[in-house]
Amino acid sequence: MRVTVDKDLCIGAGQCVVTAPDVFDQDDDGLVELLTDAPADTDREAVKEAEHVCPARVISVEG
């Protein structure tokens, strides 16, 4: 699994952090920060859910 984010399009909703806190965080401006681009297998479902619930659709998951 490979995760990428488009921080320029992030609106700071924070749903990614709520859904997958081991993979996503927010910077001081409230924008997404990717903690790892290759999450553990145990985070797989949470990352896919974060991609789905992101209102700005800035999360991309491959694999």
Side-chain angles (χ1 to χ4, degrees):
M1 171 180 277
R2 179 71 120 177
V3 181
T4 58
V5 297
D6 188 340
K7 193 170 186 169
D8 292 332
L9 297 177
C10 180
I11 63 171
Q15 295 303 304
C16 56
V17 178
V18 171
T19 306
D22 291 336
V23 179
F24 304 101
D25 200 355
Q26 288 177 292
D27 66 14
D28 291 339
D29 294 323
L31 302 177
V32 65
E33 284 192 343
L34 190 59
L35 299 177
T36 179
D37 65 352
D41 286 340
T42 54
D43 292 320
R44 181 180 279 292
E45 291 304 314
V47 170
K48 287 182 179 180
E49 180 67 16
E51 178 186 32
H52 177 73
V53 300
C54 177
R57 302 287 185 233
V58 302
I59 301 169
S60 296
V61 179
E62 298 176 28

